[in-house]
Amino acid sequence: MTPSQETRRKVAKLDKELRDLLNAVAESGKPMTDDQSNRSAEIRLEIEKLEALAENQEFTEKRDTQQAKAESDAGKVATMASGQPADQGEAREKRKMLHEFRLSRALKAQYNNRQYDGVERELHKEAIKESRQFGGSIEGFGIPAWAIYGEKRDQTAGNAASAGNTIATEMRDFIPALRPTPMVQTMGAVDMDGLQGNIDIPKANDTAQAQWEGENEEAQETNPTFEKLPGRPHRLSAVINVSRQLMLQSVIPPSVEAYMRDDLRIAQELALDAAAINGSGTGNVPEGLLTNSDVNQVELGTNGAVLDRTSLIKLIKEPAVKNAVMANMGFLSNPDVMAKLMATKTDAGSGIFVLPDATSNLLGYRAGFSTQVPNNLTKGTGTELSAVIFGNFRQLMMMRWGGIDLLVDPYTRGTEALVRIILNSYHDILNRQPKAFAVIKDAITTL
């Protein structure tokens, strides 16, 4: 029995208990006793929580099943010379390459104008192949999409808070900097990798309408309309400044190499996450949920207003009245909102809080919190206002073309003994159904 099936079994048991209780009250012809009323409320609340849990579990199980099927299908189609499934052999090869790959070796080779060797050469070739598939090119050292991503970070030998502490001493561990948690993909946004060229996704605006007509009356025509959502590669760039001393002297163990690659990957995930939430939609920046004019807007007050349970119910209502599918819905906001809801009672005398704890569901839906969601918005005379997003995050498509291009520039900051590492990658973000979302941008969260 899967976790979701076990949860559904518990829901069914509670549902039977509630029906039996209500039937007993109805048969007695008397009002509910206090004990019966309290138990009824407890059962309803527990069912609500379990239904939300089951929904989350089913979503995860479905994704796991789809991934397993995709891997299985790939293994059946392509086989290695040894007869082993290609996906298994490829996975092992990738793990081996990542274990042997050294970012410092690749950077030094490019800096010294040498040919890449070993695993770095293989990764570079794979990145070139990915880039050519969508009409791009690699100017520096290419890293395929599955291996690493990039961020803007200065690393100098003389600065302990940067990278100076990696020189001349073997390091067994590495303490990462604190940073926000990217939440959009955790909430269900769909990854689209391996794209080639521009992509247009058809979308239906209106639907066919059935109408009642007389026996011999002419049926009325309806004309559904369609549009295309364009997906286009937008360049996401970052710069790392590395000291020449660091490149020549640094002895970085595999664990720190892995950290550096992970650090670069997370940095781009954060940039994409921020764009999906609040991207301007102008120039080369994708449009985010908070700036999309087609997303449902819930306004609390002229100068903002205190966030409460009613405000959240309004958010839930908006996608529902627009006929959005209410499965896989969730809330996304920031820690200020999290704290406010944990301190807000559902009503004056209940003793029940809107958000029982930081890991709870919110009104029966998933809830995620990240400092990526702004808390510094303004409206009228209101300042330091927070945003709250509710919707089906599976309607967001996170699109990626190829991997990353690292270009070493030893000249621009040469007088400072710094080498610039320029990172480029290509992405887009599409919202398939803006009406499946609703946002608040004027929530007062003062405790």
Side-chain angles (χ1 to χ4, degrees), residues 12-24:
K13 184 177 179 180
L14 287 170
D15 188 60
K16 181 179 183 303
E17 182 183 350
L18 181 59
R19 288 200 306 271
D20 290 345
L21 188 154
L22 296 177
N23 288 337

Side-chain angles (χ1 to χ4, degrees), residues 292-356:
N292 189 324
S293 59
D294 292 327
V295 169
N296 300 298
Q297 308 286 320
V298 174
E299 299 191 16
L300 301 186
T302 304
N303 304 307
V306 174
L307 187 67
D308 58 14
R309 189 174 189 271
T310 301
S311 308
L312 301 177
I313 291 173
K314 290 179 180 179
L315 272 184
I316 296 172
K317 173 187 171 183
E318 286 300 319
V321 299
K322 301 298 193 304
N323 297 315
V325 177
M326 297 303 287
N328 303 309
M329 290 287 193
F331 288 95
L332 177 60
S333 192
N334 57 48
D336 290 352
V337 168
M338 178 188 72
K340 179 64 176 176
L341 296 178
M342 290 174 66
T344 301
K345 294 181 180 179
T346 56
D347 58 66
S350 68
I352 300 174
F353 293 90
V354 176
L355 184 66

Side-chain angles (χ1 to χ4, degrees), residues 94-108:
K94 285 183 176 180
R95 286 195 296 269
K96 180 181 178 182
M97 291 173 72
L98 286 177
H99 179 73
E100 296 176 356
F101 171 53
R102 293 295 179 269
L103 184 59
S104 56
R105 281 203 303 257
L107 297 179
K108 288 178 183 178

